Amino acid sequence: MSESAGRSPSADRSPLADGGSSQPTDGSGSASGERPAASDLLSVEHLTTGFDLKGRFVPAVIDVSFRIAPGETLGLVGESGSGKSLTALSIMRLVQPPGRIAGGRLVFKGRDLCELGGREMQAVRGAEIALIFQEPMTALNPVFTIGSQIEETLRVHGRATRATARQRAIELLDAVSIPEPHKRIRDYPHQLSGGLRQRALIAISLACNPSLVIADEPTTALDVTIQAQILELLRDLQRRLGLALLLITHDLGVVAEMADRVAVMYAGRIVEEAPVEALFDDPRHPYTRGLMASMPGGEPGTRLRAIQGTVPPLGELPPGCAFAPRCVERFGPCST
């Protein structure tokens, strides 16, 4: 993929022409060629996840590497179909057959999650790493009250007894600013608005005081006003509780507000990674520039510039850079 004239990207944020990891590797296990730093909470190293389809393995997440430090927010952005949610499910070890993790390491607090047994991983999910799904109406069980779902999470992970779980659930609903939590705790998901359902889902995710929260498109199904409230809630909770946050979104405006660093994902690969200010000031990869050009809020009267085409389907990646067929800056080497 072509670079802007005269640019010589530094090693820690260079977009690669083949759409691979945005940092050089030497095969030693991490994106920078080093073992995970002691300060890393999560280190994803050369993760490849895909599906066994018609007798062959079709990768959907390809050689992905990134790190998250305690208290940090990493924004993972890209169009639908880029592999963002599958990356989150891989971290949680929730990929279901025919999907599977084919390679790489998921080092969390010094342990490779890929090597944990089923019971060990169950103790990590919810208690140490929590996942906020993008659609609370499908993530919440419609036949149980909000309170009973929070209480179950607390009891399963040994954070409360049957006698104390109800009061703790009320405290959690209050912490996420649900009005009259002592009453709402008896409500079923369908009795809550979209914004309140998302707050309830956040309360469940925080029930066991996790170190890392993965928020997968947490504002997608909400109107603009409620989106702003949910983002402010996440920011406040992160500040008060010291959470690390992996924020998955297609909205660069959300990333600008929330993230410390940004990883841009396309067709299963991270094509660029940088601190948020650097990415917005000087995007290097043509795909990143295309995403930014398609954002509303430019000069009055100017047309939005859409990226032509779509993300290539599974198993049909073009040779060379996967973005080349859609790229207005492509030239010969991009397709090899």
Side-chain angles (χ1 to χ4, degrees):
M1 185 61 63
S2 63
E3 299 285 352
S4 294
R7 283 180 178 155
S8 177
S10 61
D12 64 345
R13 60 158 306 194
S14 60
L16 299 191
D18 64 0
S21 169
S22 61
Q23 298 181 347
T25 66
D26 65 2
S28 63
S30 73
S32 61
E34 302 174 353
R35 289 296 176 185
S39 60
D40 291 335
L41 180 66
L42 173 70
S43 178
V44 176
E45 304 172 6
H46 307 293
L47 173 68
T48 295
T49 302
F51 300 89
D52 293 307
L53 301 174
K54 297 181 179 179
R56 68 187 182 111
F57 177 73
V58 180
V61 172
I62 307 167
D63 197 31
V64 163
S65 298
F66 59 82
R67 296 174 174 179
I68 303 176
E72 183 182 35
T73 298
L74 175 68
L76 185 59
V77 301
E79 295 169 276
S80 297
S82 293
K84 306 184 302 296
S85 294
L86 186 59
T87 299
L89 291 174
S90 299
I91 294 170
M92 298 294 287
R93 295 266 310 274
L94 289 174
V95 179
Q96 300 297 311
R100 62 183 174 91
I101 297 174
R105 303 174 73 220
L106 302 168
V107 182
F108 178 73
K109 292 184 176 180
R111 296 187 298 171
D112 186 356
L113 300 181
C114 293
E115 296 179 355
L116 298 185
R119 285 188 176 274
E120 290 176 297
M121 192 62 211
Q122 187 175 6
V124 172
R125 293 190 202 103
E128 298 187 63
I129 305 176
L131 176 59
I132 303 173
F133 291 94
Q134 59 182 285
E135 179 42 69
M137 195 59 192
T138 56
L140 294 169
N141 193 321
V143 301
F144 291 101
T145 65
I146 296 299
S148 65
Q149 295 182 62
I150 298 175
E151 292 169 38
E152 179 186 26
T153 301
L154 290 165
R155 293 199 303 270
V156 163
H157 291 286
R159 302 304 174 94
T161 64
R162 186 175 294 274
T164 60
R166 174 53 60 102
Q167 181 57 39
R168 177 60 180 149
I170 293 173
E171 293 170 359
L172 285 163
L173 291 181
D174 183 57
V176 297
S177 303
I178 290 183
E180 299 183 299
H182 59 287
K183 294 182 180 178
R184 291 295 188 180
I185 201 168
R186 297 190 292 270
D187 286 349
Y188 291 86
H190 72 273
Q191 294 176 285
L192 302 179
S193 67
L196 289 181
R197 282 196 294 268
Q198 191 62 281
R199 289 172 186 268
L201 203 57
I202 293 171
I204 293 173
S205 73
L206 298 179
C208 298
N209 298 317
S211 303
L212 171 65
V213 173
I214 302 172
D216 186 3
E217 302 274 10
T219 61
T220 294
L222 306 175
D223 63 50
V224 175
T225 303
I226 303 301
Q227 281 185 23
Q229 294 174 2
I230 294 298
L231 292 175
E232 181 56 36
L233 172 64
L234 286 172
R235 189 160 37 223
D236 179 60
L237 290 169
Q238 183 183 26
R239 185 169 53 247
R240 286 193 283 129
L241 303 177
L243 301 170
L245 183 64
L246 175 57
L247 180 62
I248 297 172
T249 181
H250 61 269
D251 189 335
L252 285 169
V254 171
V255 168
E257 285 188 43
M258 297 285 294
D260 300 306
R261 290 185 300 112
V262 189
V264 181
M265 198 166 188
Y266 182 78
R269 296 181 184 268
I270 290 180
V271 297
E272 184 168 5
E273 182 179 354
V276 65
E277 296 88 354
L279 188 97
F280 278 84
D281 288 344
D282 186 20
R284 301 292 180 87
H285 197 281
Y287 179 61
T288 309
R289 293 198 286 271
L291 288 178
M292 291 186 176
S294 66
M295 290 177 63
E299 292 295 325
T302 58
R303 295 176 62 88
L304 291 179
R305 289 170 48 196
I307 301 175
Q308 299 301 314
T310 59
V311 177
L314 283 178
E316 298 181 22
L317 295 182
C321 176
F323 186 59
R326 306 174 66 190
C327 182
V328 297
E329 303 178 39
R330 66 182 178 273
F331 69 120
C334 295
S335 299
T336 60

